[in-house]
Amino acid sequence: MRRLVVLSTLLATSALHAETFTVDTSSDANLGACTAAAADCSLRGALVRANANADSDVIAFALPTSDAGYQAATDHWLIGVGDVALPPVLAPVLIDGYAQPGASANTLTPAQGGLNGTLKIEIRGVSQFRTQQNGLEVSGGEFNQPASTFRGLVINSFGAQVLFHGSSAHRLEGCYLGS
């Protein structure tokens, strides 16, 4: 009986731990399997999965050029958010647009000539309700929710591109925000 209690305690404590969810489709559907299989992890699905875990997760990107959201003329991927807003972030997360192959952070100061970064992931409101939606939002449900970071993303065509609630030092790094 004691072995059963120890085993169940180990399983319960190891069930939730920080994970990396790799977005591999620009689909706005709630695709949250996030396995090695192709096109089974959308941004919406990765957010839902990360919200279910109290630990600090990472949402990375690895979208192929064969994906429907690939914009060949500008060599980037468009994730269009439809009529339903993306779920707000409820647990700490790093959403890392620089993880997409070909993306890079800026390394120049203004004195050195401006920007040399390359962003590959665009999150855009595409529905008639986009001005009533927030792009990426950290929930106001818990005032002391641990900090989240969004980096290396283009976010545009929402009422608010990014909305942070609470007292934590949330970070927005290397993102382009549009109207």
Side-chain angles (χ1 to χ4, degrees):
M1 180 68 160
R2 184 169 188 208
R3 285 185 188 176
L4 181 60
V5 171
V6 171
L7 179 60
S8 65
T9 302
L10 286 173
L11 290 174
T13 58
S14 66
L16 293 178
H17 57 279
E19 293 188 59
T20 297
F21 304 106
T22 302
V23 175
D24 60 2
T25 177
S26 62
S27 171
D28 190 38
N30 186 10
L31 303 173
C34 300
T35 67
D40 72 345
C41 190
S42 65
L43 177 59
R44 183 178 299 281
L47 284 166
V48 169
R49 292 281 307 271
N51 282 340
N53 187 1
D55 288 340
S56 187
D57 295 316
V58 174
I59 296 177
F61 297 84
L63 287 94
T65 55
S66 59
D67 182 83
Y70 179 64
Q71 309 296 301
T74 51
D75 191 30
H76 82 284
W77 287 261
L78 170 63
I79 298 174
V81 178
D83 292 344
V84 178
L86 289 170
V89 172
L90 303 174
V93 68
L94 163 62
I95 301 177
D96 191 1
Y98 292 133
Q100 176 66 34
S104 62
N106 181 53
T107 60
L108 298 177
T109 66
Q112 292 172 316
L115 302 172
N116 68 347
T118 302
L119 302 185
K120 297 288 185 174
I121 303 296
E122 177 185 6
I123 303 167
R124 182 190 309 162
V126 296
S127 82
Q128 64 181 345
F129 305 109
R130 67 184 181 269
T131 58
Q132 300 164 7
Q133 298 173 341
N134 297 318
L136 291 175
E137 178 178 1
V138 174
S139 174
E142 274 193 52
F143 190 71
N144 293 321
Q145 174 181 332
S148 289
T149 301
F150 307 150
R151 69 178 176 204
L153 302 165
V154 176
I155 307 168
N156 61 55
S157 298
F158 294 99
Q161 310 326 314
V162 175
L163 190 58
F164 292 132
H165 295 280
S167 63
S168 294
H170 303 295
R171 296 177 57 97
L172 186 66
E173 301 173 348
C175 293
Y176 295 165
L177 305 178
S179 55

